[in-house]
Amino acid sequence: MAVKTTKSKNNDSFFTRILDLILNRDDEDARKRKALKQISKEINSSKFKFYKPSTGEVLPQLGKAIFEIYKTIGPAQAMLQNSSTSKVLRSILIESSLGKEQLEAVDFISENRIRENAQTTAIPTLTNQVKEAIRRISTEFTIEKIKKLEQKNAMLEWFLSLLKYDYYFFLKKMDSALIEHNYSYSPKFTPCRAEYVLDDLRDFASIIYSLPPGEDWASIFAVLKSYKNVEVVAANQWNKVFTLIKNIKSSNILEYIIQHIAEDPSEKVIFDVYNEKVVELWLQKIKSSAEMQIQKIQTEKRNDKITQLATELFGTSEVIRLSKYNENENEPFAKRMITGFVYAQPLNYLYSFLLDYFKKDIRNMVNLFLVRGQWNPAIPSKPFSDSFHSLMDISEAIRLFDESLNDSSPTGGKIRMLLAKADRDKDNLRVLRNVLKEVNEKAETFIRTAGKDFIIIGKNLKLLLEDYMNPKHEVINNWKEIIHNCDEDIKPWITTVYKKIYNLVMLLQFYVKD
């Protein structure tokens, strides 16, 4: 009996759940029918006769309302086709609110003015002037002013979204004779099955319902006129259309129609809320633009100076004397977004100078003064000698360093292997970066050490030249003997060598600085 009773209870429970499910569904359907009936009443009682619930048709009055908007703003569609992404338009909106001093500051940090001022003003000074100009511009924006500009920008954004809607595609379904962009045409709209335009209505409602607060359309159209140098919309026509749009939105008629067509009382119109921090973005834009322009000018000046120095030293700025550690070898690294041989250009400059000039003219001069020169014991010549021999060693070390990057050498072979596997395994990329870091650190050490040695040699040459010009000769005691054993005129010879060393040091300092 216990088992049978239990079975009976289980059966009762099962049928109860089925019955509840059916009844709940019936209740839900009943609620839905009741809601749709109420929506029908709202639609029928509305002053906007856009839709007939009993037949499921959109009516000619809807076509007329949309055509009224279309013919008013349609001519502006082509003019402002890409304006939704225009940074210029936002700049006009912001700048139209600025006073004379702020506008002058904006002009001061413009690309043309920065470039013009860079011709006569040192970059550090110009950088400070630009910062001060940006500060003056920023102080103009009070919290209240920012709110007003953000509201105007919301109105502008909304108007541009209104322009983007495809009115012709919608209206053509209600009047097949309609011709696109023919705003003088008198349409003959006929009722249309509502399901054919449901998605079009959703898109249209999304725009209408996103209408932000604000009535100052004169300032918005002034911005657009400044942007296009023409009146984009007639003010009297727009005021009429804007009133129509506001009334449609406040009546909620479009949402009711969409709910009835879709037979879904819970459907809500999805719309945008315009809350872009337009002032903050504009300030960041002009600041970044000014900073980038200064950086660009700095880079140009740097490159021009490098080209000038290299050309004076080597006759060209394109110097390649190393077979592996050079700019041409960086392409495989660049393809994989890896920093390759960072110091390729300066190391080639250094190596070329050591081979073509240091081991010839400079070595002859240094040997002359170190071997034949009788130095005053109070002025040590050892730093001069040590720097000279250090540079001789560096020349050979650079040659061996470059050879170590050949594919047949351990380091070069490892780089080649890691490059081949880099696309398949990120671990190989990490190892490759570490190997390149070590290689670049060696190159940097060569350049830094050579730079210091050349500075020491340059200082000593300057000292020797001053001593040569000094009748008392406080550094070298036997100038007559040196002159006798020298095939060159001492003064121009030292001057030329010193200038070359100075130019090389200046050139290297563009790449490495203490």
Side-chain angles (χ1 to χ4, degrees):
M1 286 290 294
V3 174
K4 287 183 180 179
T5 301
T6 304
K7 186 175 182 182
S8 176
K9 286 183 178 179
N10 287 340
N11 285 339
D12 289 346
S13 177
F14 172 75
F15 287 116
T16 299
R17 288 199 301 272
I18 294 297
L19 184 61
D20 288 344
L21 188 63
I22 293 171
L23 291 175
N24 286 338
R25 185 180 298 149
D26 287 345
D27 288 346
E28 186 180 334
D29 289 342
R31 286 193 294 270
K32 182 177 178 180
R33 287 194 299 273
K34 184 178 180 180
L36 287 173
K37 187 176 181 180
Q38 182 60 38
I39 289 171
S40 295
K41 289 181 180 180
E42 296 287 349
I43 294 172
N44 288 328
S45 64
S46 173
K47 68 177 181 179
F48 294 107
K49 305 303 178 184
F50 290 162
Y51 174 70
K52 190 173 183 180
S54 61
T55 62
E57 293 176 314
V58 292
L59 302 176
Q61 285 86 339
L62 176 61
K64 289 178 182 178
I66 294 179
F67 185 77
E68 193 67 27
I69 299 171
Y70 176 50
K71 73 177 183 180
T72 300
I73 67 173
Q77 283 181 314
M79 285 189 287
L80 300 169
Q81 187 174 10
N82 299 315
S83 299
S84 59
T85 57
S86 172
K87 294 178 181 179
V88 175
L89 191 54
R90 273 71 187 174
S91 295
I92 294 173
L93 173 67
I94 302 294
E95 291 172 20
S96 65
S97 71
L98 299 178
K100 181 181 178 182
E101 288 187 9
Q102 283 70 36
L103 287 173
E104 288 175 353
V106 170
D107 178 65
F108 183 81
I109 64 172
S110 66
E111 181 177 340
N112 289 339
R113 281 292 302 280
I114 288 176
R115 186 165 288 279
E116 178 184 329
N117 290 331
Q119 301 298 319
T120 55
T121 307
I123 292 297
T125 302
L126 182 58
T127 299
N128 290 333
Q129 291 174 348
V130 167
K131 287 180 179 178
E132 174 58 23
I134 293 172
R135 188 198 63 77
R136 291 203 308 273
I137 296 167
S138 300
T139 56
E140 172 78 4
F141 295 103
T142 62
I143 294 175
E144 185 174 343
K145 186 169 186 176
I146 290 173
K147 285 182 178 178
K148 286 183 179 179
L149 283 168
E150 287 177 350
Q151 182 189 61
K152 287 184 179 181
N153 182 66
M155 293 169 65
L156 178 61
E157 292 282 358
W158 175 81
F159 180 75
L160 295 176
S161 69
L162 189 70
L163 288 181
K164 289 170 66 177
Y165 184 72
D166 195 342
Y167 298 92
Y168 174 73
F169 183 75
F170 189 154
L171 295 171
K172 185 77 172 177
K173 295 176 181 179
M174 301 186 72
D175 181 358
S176 59
L178 185 72
I179 301 173
E180 190 170 16
H181 305 312
N182 185 351
Y183 307 115
S184 61
Y185 174 72
S186 297
K188 298 177 179 59
F189 295 118
T190 58
C192 173
R193 292 299 304 166
E195 59 265 26
Y196 296 155
V197 295
L198 177 57
D199 287 338
D200 304 306
L201 266 178
R202 283 178 173 136
D203 293 340
F204 182 68
S206 177
I207 297 170
I208 299 302
Y209 280 56
S210 65
L211 174 64
E215 301 285 336
D216 186 12
W217 285 102
S219 65
I220 301 301
F221 292 136
V223 168
L224 293 172
K225 182 178 181 180
S226 178
Y227 178 58
K228 283 296 179 181
N229 296 317
V230 67
E231 204 79 56
V232 296
V233 177
N236 59 336
Q237 294 176 359
W238 171 252
N239 291 336
K240 180 181 176 182
V241 163
F242 182 59
T243 300
L244 172 64
I245 290 172
K246 284 197 301 181
N247 290 337
I248 290 174
K249 178 186 177 183
S250 62
S251 72
N252 209 33
I253 184 64
L254 294 180
E255 186 166 84
Y256 289 144
I257 293 173
I258 291 168
Q259 289 171 342
H260 196 274
I261 298 172
E263 297 182 351
D264 182 3
S266 65
E267 181 171 343
K268 299 295 180 184
V269 173
I270 299 172
F271 58 90
D272 294 324
V273 176
Y274 302 102
N275 55 5
E276 187 177 30
K277 302 296 182 184
V278 63
V279 174
E280 181 181 328
L281 292 172
W282 180 78
L283 285 171
Q284 184 58 47
K285 172 183 169 288
I286 62 171
K287 179 183 177 183
S288 298
S289 176
E291 289 173 349
M292 286 178 61
Q293 187 59 31
I294 288 177
Q295 289 175 4
K296 184 178 179 181
I297 293 171
Q298 282 181 311
T299 300
E300 289 173 359
K301 287 179 176 290
R302 173 184 180 273
N303 291 340
D304 287 346
K305 189 61 179 177
I306 287 173
T307 298
Q308 177 189 340
L309 290 170
T311 302
E312 286 183 16
L313 287 168
F314 310 109
T316 176
S317 61
E318 300 295 327
V319 175
I320 298 178
R321 295 297 295 273
L322 298 170
S323 61
K324 294 301 292 184
Y325 198 85
N326 62 63
E327 291 286 353
N328 295 338
E329 296 293 318
N330 275 334
E331 185 176 351
F333 304 118
K335 287 181 178 178
R336 293 165 177 82
M337 304 297 289
I338 303 172
T339 301
F341 298 147
V342 176
Y343 300 103
Q345 197 166 23
L347 194 65
N348 275 270
Y349 287 150
L350 173 60
Y351 190 58
S352 180
F353 189 86
L354 290 171
L355 290 182
D356 299 341
Y357 199 76
F358 177 78
K359 288 189 173 183
K360 297 177 181 177
D361 293 40
I362 297 178
R363 180 165 62 178
N364 292 336
M365 178 178 289
V366 172
N367 282 335
L368 176 66
F369 287 115
L370 288 177
V371 175
R372 292 191 176 274
Q374 295 175 7
W375 289 63
N376 186 329
I379 301 175
S381 62
K382 190 174 186 304
F384 191 27
S385 175
D386 289 347
S387 294
F388 170 74
H389 289 99
S390 173
L391 287 167
M392 294 292 288
D393 293 340
I394 287 174
S395 177
E396 177 62 13
I398 292 174
R399 184 186 69 80
L400 295 174
F401 165 77
D402 189 50
E403 285 185 0
S404 73
L405 300 177
N406 289 327
D407 292 347
S408 58
S409 299
T411 302
K414 188 175 184 179
I415 290 174
R416 181 176 58 81
M417 178 195 70
L418 291 169
L419 264 175
K421 295 181 178 180
D423 297 332
R424 301 191 301 272
D425 189 345
K426 290 184 178 179
D427 286 340
N428 286 311
L429 273 177
R430 178 181 55 78
V431 175
L432 178 57
R433 287 191 179 98
N434 289 335
V435 173
L436 288 170
K437 182 174 180 289
E438 292 176 3
V439 168
N440 287 323
E441 285 174 351
K442 287 183 181 179
E444 183 185 10
T445 299
F446 291 141
I447 296 167
R448 287 188 181 278
T449 304
K452 291 176 182 177
D453 288 334
F454 273 119
I455 288 173
I456 292 172
I457 289 178
K459 286 181 177 178
N460 277 273
L461 290 180
K462 184 179 180 183
L463 182 66
L464 291 170
L465 180 59
E466 290 171 351
D467 189 58
Y468 173 75
M469 302 297 293
N470 184 358
K472 294 183 179 181
H473 301 317
E474 297 175 350
V475 178
I476 299 293
N477 298 324
N478 61 333
W479 274 108
K480 288 184 178 180
E481 181 183 347
I482 288 176
I483 294 170
H484 177 74
N485 287 279
C486 181
D487 296 330
E488 305 284 347
D489 188 343
I490 293 292
K491 182 181 176 181
W493 190 32
I494 294 179
T495 301
T496 300
V497 171
Y498 176 81
K499 184 179 179 182
K500 284 185 177 293
I501 290 175
Y502 176 83
N503 285 345
L504 178 70
V505 171
M506 292 291 292
L507 183 59
L508 297 181
Q509 285 180 344
F510 278 107
Y511 299 93
V512 292
K513 292 183 179 180
D514 294 327

